[in-house]
């Protein structure tokens, strides 16, 4: 551990989470927005489904941890929603089992502490043509359709409504963007910088609008070591220093 202690925001999910610090990813955006306010902790696992996540959720989030996360952002569903392989192997999880897995994950996270907040991300759409085009010669055919993605996305949203959890409906969010198939993905599945901006914007919106006490909106959280100092940059008149701890001018985008 390093100090001072900060609130923890944990990103838990499959490849869209593991890759969220690359390609101008949404995890990197959150790290920039929450710099000096909270630690963004990555727990992403490429290729995983909700069943595999459920197997380790108590190891990733042990109930006896000295410090529990303030917020957990959870994404599983894209791999679950793939069409089943004839062998019975692979990441496909039947819909009812997926919902049950996600419910168990949510209940475990809710049990960590009274102040641990949760946001689920639902299954986004895919560019079906690009997925087919990018088939690997080393893997069996990957069948991902938007009909399946929507079914799993809707189930995730419905579960969150049942449990009173915050949710970002990525399936709907992405399709609001102009030319979404081209701009949101790198390979038809994984997110481009523009796709990640949509995810980050929705997460930040949910956090801002949530009636959580304390608020986890970045503007409401204290900035670490924000006091004035004679070692700050000197103002143009040379008579005082200027506190730079809240500056955001260097962000590529000014987030709310």
């Amino acid at each position: 551990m390093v100090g001072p202690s900060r609130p923890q925001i944990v990103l838990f999910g499959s490849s869209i989470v593991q890759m969220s610090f690359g390609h101008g990813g949404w995890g990197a955006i959150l790290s920039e927005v929450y710099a000096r306010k909270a630690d963004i902790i990555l727990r992403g696992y490429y290729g995983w489904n909700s069943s595999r996540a459920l197997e380790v959720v108590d190891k990733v989030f042990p109930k006896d941890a000295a410090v529990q996360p303030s917020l957990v952002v959870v994404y599983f569903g894209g791999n679950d929603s793939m069409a089943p392989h004839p062998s019975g192997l692979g990441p496909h999880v039947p819909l009812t089992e997926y919902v049950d897995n996600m419910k168990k994950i949510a209940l475990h996270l809710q049990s960590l502490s009274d102040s641990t907040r949760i946001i689920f991300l639902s299954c986004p759409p895919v560019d079906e043509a690009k997925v087919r085009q990018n088939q690997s010669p080393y893997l069996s055919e990957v069948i991902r359709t938007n009909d399946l993605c929507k079914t799993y996305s809707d189930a995730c949203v419905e579960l969150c409504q049942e449990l009173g959890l915050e949710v970002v409906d990525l399936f709907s969010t992405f399709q609001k963007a102009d030319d979404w198939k081209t701009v949101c993905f790198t390979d038809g599945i994984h997110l481009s910088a523009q796709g990640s901006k949509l995810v980050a914007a929705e997460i930040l919106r949910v956090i801002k609008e949530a009636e959580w006490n304390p608020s986890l909106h970045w503007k409401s959280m204290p900035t670490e070591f924000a006091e004035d100092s004679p070692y700050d940059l000197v103002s143009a008149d040379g008579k005082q220093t200027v506190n730079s701890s809240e500056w955001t001018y260097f962000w590529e985008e000014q987030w709310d």
Side-chain angles (χ1 to χ4, degrees), residues 4-5 8 14 32 45 57 59 99 102 106 119 130-131 133 137 162 171 178 193 213-214 225 250 256:
S5 177
Q8 296 180 355
S14 55
E32 182 171 58
Y45 304 93
V57 68
K59 297 180 177 67
V99 172
M102 296 298 280
I119 300 174
K130 201 162 189 178
V131 173
Q133 177 185 332
E162 173 192 327
F171 191 86
D178 293 335
N213 187 20
F225 299 135
F250 46 83
D256 189 15

Side-chain angles (χ1 to χ4, degrees), residues 150-172:
K150 185 178 189 306
T151 298
Y152 281 69
S153 176
D154 288 348
C156 179
V157 171
E158 184 177 339
L159 173 66
C160 290
Q161 292 170 344
E162 173 192 327
L163 298 178
L165 299 180
E166 300 292 345
V167 61
V168 173
D169 181 350
L170 290 183
F171 191 86
S172 298

Side-chain angles (χ1 to χ4, degrees), residues 87-234:
S87 68
L89 301 172
H92 169 75
V93 175
L95 183 64
T96 55
E97 185 179 344
Y98 165 72
V99 172
D100 188 54
N101 290 342
M102 296 298 280
K103 183 174 184 177
K104 289 175 180 175
I105 290 170
L107 294 176
H108 178 82
L109 296 175
Q110 287 178 320
S111 75
L112 297 178
S113 78
D114 292 338
S115 58
T116 296
R117 311 304 182 187
I118 304 165
I119 300 174
F120 273 17
L121 308 180
S122 80
C123 182
V126 296
D127 181 344
E128 294 180 22
K130 201 162 189 178
V131 173
R132 290 191 296 269
Q133 177 185 332
N134 290 335
Q135 289 288 342
S136 168
Y138 304 103
L139 297 173
S140 293
E141 182 183 11
V142 173
I143 300 177
R144 301 185 76 154
T145 70
N146 283 318
D147 285 344
L148 288 169
C149 290
K150 185 178 189 306
T151 298
Y152 281 69
S153 176
D154 288 348
C156 179
V157 171
E158 184 177 339
L159 173 66
C160 290
Q161 292 170 344
E162 173 192 327
L163 298 178
L165 299 180
E166 300 292 345
V167 61
V168 173
D169 181 350
L170 290 183
F171 191 86
S172 298
T173 295
F174 277 29
Q175 293 183 79
K176 293 175 185 176
D178 293 335
D179 199 17
W180 63 270
K181 291 181 182 179
T182 300
V183 303
C184 289
F185 307 107
T186 59
D187 58 3
I189 297 172
H190 299 106
L191 306 185
S192 65
Q194 184 58 38
S196 274
K197 284 181 180 179
L198 295 176
V199 176
E202 284 299 293
I203 291 172
L204 292 171
R205 178 191 61 79
V206 168
I207 293 172
K208 182 179 181 181
E209 295 177 359
E211 296 180 355
W212 292 336
N213 187 20
S215 172
L216 296 177
H217 185 237
W218 66 275
K219 291 182 180 179
S220 301
M221 300 176 75
T223 299
E224 191 173 277
F225 299 135
E227 62 275 3
D228 293 336
S229 168
Y231 299 115
D232 285 335
L233 296 170
V234 180

